[in-house]
Amino acid sequence: MRVWIVFLLCLAGHAMAAPTEEELIVEEPVTEEPVVEETEVGANPVQIEVGDFDEAIEVVEDEVAENPCLNHHCKKGKVCEVDDSNTPMCVCQDPSTCIAAEAEFEHVCGTDNKTYDTSCHFFATKCTLEGTKKGHKLHLDYIGPCKFIEPCMDNELNEFPLRMRDWLKNVLVTLYERDEDNNLLTEKQKLRVKKIYENEKRLQAGEHSLDLLAHDFEKNYNMYIFPVHWQFGQLDQHPVDGYLTHTELAPLRAPLIPMEHCTTRFFEQCDADSDNYIALEEWATCFGIKEQDVDKDLII
Ligand SMILES: *[C@@H]1O[C@H](CO)[C@@H](O)[C@H](O)[C@H]1NC(C)=O
Ligand SMILES: [Ca+2]
Ligand SMILES: [Ca+2]
């Protein structure tokens, strides 16, 4: 339980510190491929910055006389080089040119259960495997060195949404409390959270037994509908289409796995039809939201 609180504080803290300036945003091209490149994870899951996801962009801006690579962006794992005719192009980065990790938390664990020194090393390695089956299957699994993750038992799996829902509600209330003119929430969102915030029956943030969490969900079900939708909207950004890809889910999933051993199983079973996307309906069902309460308009 404690980890959830610490995680919440981290997220909230990050959200406060998140710069609001608009980064140069270029839409990621829509790819038909179901498996999209991974983005670096570990960034604040609450406020995802669009700039973090610009990996698929290869844009040349106004010609810069000296260095054609100056404004040539490459996706993660690639660096810009010029060819003989001085044309910039993106090539795989040599992992040995990545800056070595200074701390253990910079390590990442791949789905191959190999520890990579940093996410730079991971993406550079993945790039060298591009086009191979192995490369296609390799994803960043979680933040931190690979470790033994206990199997998630059925009863533990059922506890996961109880805590996650409570946590989502508390994240929102915290954002609301601290949101003076930070614009962390839109006006519409603020109105929705205000109702939760001002509800006297709200279960206050803190350590609660699973029984109490389950009881509160039954009693105050309505308070949980918006937080569940809101988190989906935070993640569904690339593109905004009502579906979460593995990549879109990563900012939430990757930091959570080392702390909560049911994370992987939970999100796997969320994808009820196993098409590798978590649709809003699937997401809502996963968190116990009734079908008639799933509302696309709540996300905006
Ligand atoms: C992954 O690697 C860790 C650390 O090396 C090990 O303890 C664990 O058992 C491995 N997990 C799997 C599923 O092989
Ligand atoms: Ca999406
Ligand atoms: Ca699905």
Side-chain angles (χ1 to χ4, degrees):
M1 189 62 209
R2 177 160 292 132
V3 293
W4 287 82
I5 296 163
V6 173
F7 193 46
L8 159 68
L9 292 176
C10 292
L11 293 184
H14 274 288
M16 302 310 126
T20 49
E21 93 264 9
E22 294 283 321
E23 289 192 44
L24 176 72
I25 298 163
V26 186
E27 286 299 324
E28 195 173 326
V30 182
T31 49
E32 259 94 61
E33 261 212 314
V35 183
V36 189
E37 288 287 326
E38 263 160 298
T39 51
E40 190 173 354
V41 288
N44 163 27
V46 178
Q47 298 281 313
I48 300 154
E49 283 182 64
V50 182
D52 288 349
F53 292 82
D54 61 0
E55 62 190 80
I57 303 164
E58 294 183 18
V59 195
V60 193
E61 302 199 335
D62 300 334
E63 232 106 307
V64 178
E66 292 146 31
N67 188 353
C69 271
L70 213 56
N71 282 310
H72 192 81
H73 297 262
C74 295
K75 65 180 184 179
K76 297 221 159 73
K78 292 194 172 190
V79 287
C80 179
E81 273 179 15
V82 289
D83 65 7
D84 296 340
S85 56
N86 215 31
T87 308
M89 51 182 197
C90 295
V91 296
C92 285
Q93 179 172 7
D94 179 353
S96 67
T97 63
C98 289
I99 298 165
E102 280 173 13
E104 198 183 76
F105 66 78
E106 289 180 56
H107 298 332
V108 297
C109 183
T111 45
D112 54 357
N113 202 33
K114 270 195 197 140
T115 301
Y116 294 82
D117 199 39
T118 65
S119 62
C120 172
H121 292 82
F122 173 83
F123 287 110
T125 307
K126 184 169 158 76
C127 184
T128 61
L129 296 169
E130 218 166 64
T132 67
K133 218 173 173 181
K134 201 172 155 200
H136 195 68
K137 278 201 292 194
L138 182 62
H139 296 282
L140 198 160
D141 200 15
Y142 53 89
I143 306 296
C146 297
K147 59 179 197 176
F148 174 70
I149 294 183
E150 269 177 77
C152 169
M153 300 299 154
D154 291 346
N155 61 321
E156 296 172 315
L157 186 64
N158 296 334
E159 295 168 4
F160 188 90
L162 288 174
R163 282 176 286 145
M164 180 102 181
R165 266 191 313 246
D166 184 55
W167 172 74
L168 287 175
K169 181 166 60 71
N170 294 334
V171 168
L172 265 180
V173 169
T174 306
L175 285 180
Y176 177 81
E177 283 175 328
R178 300 207 198 162
D179 194 8
E180 305 266 293
D181 35 29
N182 287 317
N183 297 319
L184 301 171
L185 298 169
T186 65
E187 290 307 314
K188 245 185 185 171
Q189 290 173 333
K190 269 186 221 169
L191 281 177
R192 291 185 176 121
V193 185
K194 189 164 183 261
K195 277 194 209 146
I196 303 172
Y197 178 71
E198 288 175 350
N199 194 322
E200 285 157 16
K201 286 182 265 160
R202 172 165 65 88
L203 192 62
Q204 299 296 318
E207 291 207 30
H208 302 298
S209 70
L210 294 165
D211 281 347
L212 182 57
L213 290 175
H215 177 76
D216 189 61
F217 182 61
E218 234 172 77
K219 277 263 181 208
N220 297 312
Y221 168 77
N222 285 329
M223 282 193 227
Y224 292 91
I225 298 174
F226 177 61
V228 168
H229 281 77
W230 172 79
Q231 179 65 78
F232 187 91
Q234 292 292 300
L235 298 169
D236 180 23
Q237 301 279 339
H238 312 279
V240 183
D241 58 0
Y243 294 92
L244 298 184
T245 60
H246 189 274
T247 307
E248 286 176 308
L249 190 58
L252 178 65
R253 192 181 167 276
L256 211 51
I257 293 176
M259 300 191 283
E260 288 276 338
H261 67 285
C262 283
T263 308
T264 300
R265 214 184 134 188
F266 178 76
F267 289 118
E268 262 168 22
Q269 53 109 46
C270 267
D271 179 19
D273 63 3
S274 303
D275 67 350
N276 289 324
Y277 294 96
I278 299 180
L280 174 60
E281 292 76 12
E282 290 175 322
W283 175 269
T285 304
C286 241
F287 286 103
I289 302 301
K290 296 175 198 139
E291 211 181 317
Q292 68 261 31
D293 297 317
V294 179
D295 182 359
K296 284 199 162 62
D297 293 339
L298 278 181
I299 291 174
I300 314 158

